[in-house]
Amino acid sequence: MTALLRVRGLNAFHGRAQALFDVSLDVRGGEIVALVGRNGAGKTTLMRALAGLVQATGEIRLDGRRIDGWRADRRVRAGLAWVPEDRRIFQQLTVAQNLEVAEAAARDGAPAWSAARVYGLFPELAPLARRLGGALSGGEQQMLAIGRALMTQPRVVMLDEPSEGVAPIVVERLVQAIRALRGEGLAVLLSEQNEALAAPLADRALALEDGMLATVSGADAGRP
Ligand code: ATP
């Protein structure tokens, strides 16, 4: 099966400092690939480069279509969603409004995800629909951030440290939800230090070390 996300020879730069070196990877639909590596290894930079927010060279394909060179908003519209580590919930908007604003950035075509479906995935958000984003707990904010990403109707979802600042009981809920996304055929790229979240989810793990892919676990190394 063709990978939904295909990356070849990606180099990324912070100013003149190179942060990623010749990174190649594939994530298929219905697959969760975990990115592991120490702080500073380049996991966030990789997601930001794929999202179009860091200067980069190399080839990025979404369902076969080249998207490198595209602006960030166009990549979202093509079906590539990113949930940043700090979540960036709109603090002054309600939960419902946070979901609504994402609709404006959605991929064309019949929407698979509505607010009602997000509340189905995360029933704990439904009674909070009119609460301000800034009043949510860490776990609720993470659910909302994932819900907001889903409202852009993605085919590939990148989750940066989703368990950060989240209570252990909620980590279990995130595991269930991310599994459900895999079941929907989404391709999931997950950066996660917390084994409690990564271990039960990852079909494969890719290790980043100093901006390079190092040892790889899993049957298909994911590295061409
Ligand atoms: P963390 O888990 O702490 O987020 P990470 O694996 O995601 O770590 P990155 O944040 O991608 O790592 O950082 C990779 C390298 O790029 C580090 O050396 C970091 O100092 C550098 N870096 C990251 N962001 C910037 C920036 N905006 N400007 C300059 N250098 C940066």
Side-chain angles (χ1 to χ4, degrees):
M1 198 170 99
T2 321
L4 274 183
L5 177 67
R6 184 180 167 93
V7 179
R8 292 293 179 272
L10 190 74
N11 300 296
F13 305 84
H14 296 295
R16 282 194 301 188
Q18 188 164 354
L20 291 179
F21 300 83
D22 194 29
V23 170
S24 297
L25 60 91
D26 288 333
V27 189
R28 291 185 287 271
E31 184 181 41
I32 299 174
V33 173
L35 278 175
V36 298
R38 287 197 309 265
N39 287 348
K43 305 180 299 295
T44 298
T45 298
L46 174 55
M47 291 191 177
R48 290 177 52 87
L50 297 176
L53 300 168
V54 168
Q55 192 202 336
T57 61
E59 193 177 300
I60 306 168
R61 286 181 190 271
L62 185 68
D63 201 14
R65 199 153 52 134
R66 263 191 96 155
I67 62 165
D68 50 273
W70 289 12
R71 271 177 26 184
D73 57 338
R74 194 167 169 215
R75 297 188 196 193
V76 175
R77 219 174 280 283
L80 179 67
W82 171 54
V83 181
E85 190 171 7
D86 60 5
R87 298 167 196 141
R88 303 198 200 156
I89 294 305
F90 299 111
Q91 310 274 317
Q92 302 301 328
L93 297 184
T94 65
V95 166
Q97 288 167 334
N98 266 277
L99 295 178
E100 261 167 46
V101 291
E103 279 176 318
R107 187 161 62 92
D108 291 335
W113 289 95
S114 60
R117 271 203 81 204
V118 170
Y119 297 139
L121 183 67
F122 295 119
E124 39 282 88
L125 285 183
L128 305 177
R130 299 170 74 154
R131 189 165 299 176
L132 291 182
L136 302 181
S137 71
E140 291 159 355
Q141 289 205 9
Q142 186 60 50
M143 293 178 195
L144 179 56
I146 294 172
R148 195 177 53 181
L150 293 173
M151 293 295 283
T152 67
Q153 316 302 333
R155 307 194 64 199
V156 178
V157 183
M158 303 188 288
L159 302 168
D160 198 351
E161 302 276 353
S163 78
E164 175 89 14
V166 167
I169 189 158
V170 182
V171 169
E172 181 49 38
R173 286 285 300 112
L174 295 175
V175 167
Q176 289 170 7
I178 295 166
R179 238 183 223 140
L181 302 184
R182 169 173 59 194
E184 300 256 328
L186 292 178
V188 179
L189 186 62
L190 174 72
S191 165
E192 186 58 60
Q193 311 270 8
N194 182 350
E195 279 284 312
L197 190 128
L201 279 177
D203 298 307
R204 287 187 291 132
L206 301 177
L208 264 180
E209 231 171 75
D210 298 331
M212 283 172 263
L213 280 184
T215 43
V216 169
S217 71
D220 163 8
R223 225 186 153 183

